[in-house]
Amino acid sequence: MSNHRVLAAAAVLMLATTTPSGRTKETPDWPQWRGPRRDGSAPSLSVPASWPAELSRKWSVDIGEGHAGPVVASGRIIVHVRENDREVVRALALEDGAKVWERSWPVGYQMHPAATGHGKGPKATPAVSRGTVFVLGIDGTMTALDEKTGAVRWRKEFTGKFKTASPAYGAAASPLVEKSLVIAPFGGHHDGMLAALDVASGAVRWSLEGDGPGYASPVAADLSGRRQIITQTDRRIVGLAAESGKLLWSLPLVTPYDQNVVTPLVFEDLVIVSGLEYGLRAFRLHPQGDALEPKEVWNSPEASLYMSSPVVAGGRLFGLSHLKSGQIVCLDPRTGKLLWTGPGSQGEYATFTAAPGAVLALTEGAEMFVLSTKAGAFEPLARYKVADSPTWAHPAPAPGGLLVKDKTRLTFWKIGAETPPPPRPKS
């Protein structure tokens, strides 16, 4: 394990963040895909003043297979995994990874022959909001569970409505909770819908039908005076009115093998999107009657992304380009200017988490680079080997460290100082 000791700013920031339900509060939780803001930012993650030669492991437990990332809410960890022919959702204790509750159900999904190396799922990260856990199975079934007990509140599947219930490589879009709606794509190749389900009952409240699901996850944003849901289907980028599902704008985005994977990133008034051989592009939305017209602001073909979703930290954008067999890139998110590129051969996938003063880039090979947000080149502050098997799940910051899911295990790595327990009330 190699390491470069340097100083980084020590900070524990508790900033106002938006929960999946749209509420704003001070929280260290990581309750959904890519965190409270769904953009990879982790302002409450405590970072050390000096990165150590090695990270210290707090605990590690077997939890099952799959690429769904762990989430943290209300002092517990929620994981969604597969064991043999069953999908399993568990709540675990933050202190030691011990099981608090567990629910499971049979799943018959068989992986596409071209992706057998990725296992049988699940791939979509759970979302936790207002006492309910929402999980999207690899077969396209949405399940809502009670956060405290794991009791199933409802299940929704669309077998028979579409030619297939999930896309070729399995359902991978992580559900988004927007007020009283939980939003996700359903169906299969060129035959599906983006749908908003009622969080209490699972009833369909609105839908955009026709396109099949992409593998990108939807995000919510306020742009051009409209609250909207933005995502990639299997052949375009769309923006829909959050309350009604009305299509506000769309752009064609067709990639080889219909692998539209990158979660859109909203930065200031820009929508930043990418895809295999598509380039990394930014659009600004302009009012056009009742609709919106997207106009391209910049295009960086040398920074084209494939599966990895980028982050913005310290006024810079970090991502993994598919060029040169995978290389980390850094750009100016306002202009698209390429600031630096890292070495090639980093693989197909990496996750990016924006901590105070640094970006944690975790490759599929389980190597985590700590990158300064101010460096003028690829000069990691530190690098760590955090698992012995592939790390395709997005890590989750937790008080005092980082939760890393590899092929079958979940490990709590200590980073910075643990948040002290609240003082006991005086007698």
Side-chain angles (χ1 to χ4, degrees):
M1 179 186 301
S2 60
N3 174 69
H4 304 279
R5 290 176 179 263
V6 296
L7 292 178
V12 181
L13 301 180
M14 297 294 289
L15 301 181
T17 55
T18 301
T19 67
S21 59
R23 296 172 295 159
T24 298
K25 66 175 184 177
E26 303 284 327
T27 175
D29 284 354
W30 191 264
Q32 61 175 336
W33 165 248
R34 302 236 297 162
R37 299 173 183 170
R38 224 165 162 86
D39 61 359
S41 61
S44 65
L45 180 63
S46 173
V47 297
S50 179
W51 290 92
E54 296 184 3
L55 295 179
S56 176
R57 183 188 289 110
K58 183 175 182 178
W59 51 257
S60 185
V61 295
D62 280 310
I63 61 168
E65 295 193 46
H67 299 341
V71 296
V72 179
S74 305
R76 290 179 178 175
I77 305 162
I78 304 295
V79 295
H80 184 201
V81 297
R82 180 160 174 163
E83 293 182 341
N84 299 317
D85 291 326
R86 299 185 71 83
E87 283 192 345
V88 182
V89 180
R90 292 191 184 94
L92 308 176
L94 266 170
E95 179 60 30
D96 56 8
K99 182 176 68 177
V100 178
W101 56 254
E102 174 183 306
R103 292 294 179 271
S104 69
W105 45 81
V107 59
Y109 179 84
Q110 296 297 317
M111 180 52 68
H112 189 283
T116 54
H118 289 275
K120 299 179 180 179
K123 294 181 176 180
T125 295
V128 183
S129 178
R130 295 178 180 176
T132 303
V133 178
F134 300 94
V135 296
L136 183 66
I138 191 75
D139 62 353
T141 300
M142 180 81 81
T143 305
L145 305 98
D146 183 273
E147 181 186 359
K148 291 183 178 179
T149 67
V152 175
R153 290 179 169 170
W154 53 260
R155 285 172 62 83
K156 190 76 172 182
E157 52 87 21
F158 295 95
T159 302
K161 181 176 176 61
F162 307 109
K163 295 176 182 177
T164 57
S166 60
Y169 305 109
S174 301
L176 164 68
V177 180
E178 169 69 13
K179 296 183 179 179
S180 63
L181 306 174
V182 55
I183 300 165
F186 300 93
H189 182 69
H190 293 349
D191 180 33
M193 66 179 180
L194 181 70
L197 310 182
D198 186 280
V199 297
S201 66
V204 177
R205 295 267 293 273
W206 59 250
S207 64
L208 175 70
E209 300 194 19
D211 292 7
Y215 302 95
S217 299
V219 298
D222 293 299
L223 289 170
S224 299
R226 307 294 292 270
R227 183 68 173 172
Q228 53 189 283
I229 307 302
I230 302 170
T231 194
Q232 294 188 28
T233 71
D234 60 1
R235 49 190 167 185
R236 58 179 173 162
I237 312 160
V238 296
L240 294 80
E243 291 188 0
S244 66
K246 177 184 176 181
L247 183 65
L248 301 175
W249 60 273
S250 71
L251 283 166
L253 199 170
V254 178
T255 59
Y257 315 109
D258 296 318
Q259 294 187 74
N260 289 357
V261 186
V262 180
T263 295
L265 178 66
V266 177
F267 172 71
E268 296 179 348
D269 65 342
L270 299 177
V271 180
I272 300 174
V273 298
S274 193
L276 182 63
E277 298 178 8
Y278 177 80
L280 182 63
R281 309 187 190 198
F283 295 89
R284 183 173 287 119
L285 305 177
H286 298 267
Q288 195 78 8
D290 292 335
L292 297 171
E293 181 182 2
K295 294 184 179 179
E296 187 174 289
V297 176
W298 55 260
N299 180 6
S300 180
E302 66 270 37
S304 186
L305 313 181
Y306 175 23
M307 298 184 186
S308 299
S309 301
V311 297
V312 171
R316 295 178 171 187
L317 184 148
F318 297 80
L320 181 75
S321 170
H322 62 75
L323 303 177
K324 295 187 178 180
S325 300
Q327 62 178 162
I328 295 175
V329 295
C330 179
L331 299 88
D332 183 331
R334 295 179 178 88
T335 66
K337 179 183 177 181
L338 190 65
L339 302 178
W340 55 256
T341 60
S345 301
Q346 296 299 325
E348 288 184 329
Y349 186 70
T351 60
F352 294 85
T353 306
V359 170
L360 308 181
L362 176 60
T363 71
E364 65 182 270
E367 185 169 26
M368 188 171 76
F369 297 100
V370 181
L371 306 173
S372 168
T373 58
K374 299 179 180 179
F378 179 78
E379 298 171 344
L381 305 178
R383 58 183 74 187
Y384 304 105
K385 189 72 173 179
V386 294
D388 295 323
S389 63
T391 46
W392 282 80
H394 201 294
L402 191 71
L403 295 162
V404 175
K405 165 73 167 65
D406 59 31
K407 183 177 180 180
T408 61
R409 295 184 69 81
L410 182 68
T411 301
F412 191 126
W413 292 101
K414 294 182 181 180
I415 297 177
E418 290 195 57
T419 304
R424 294 183 179 180
K426 296 181 180 180
S427 58

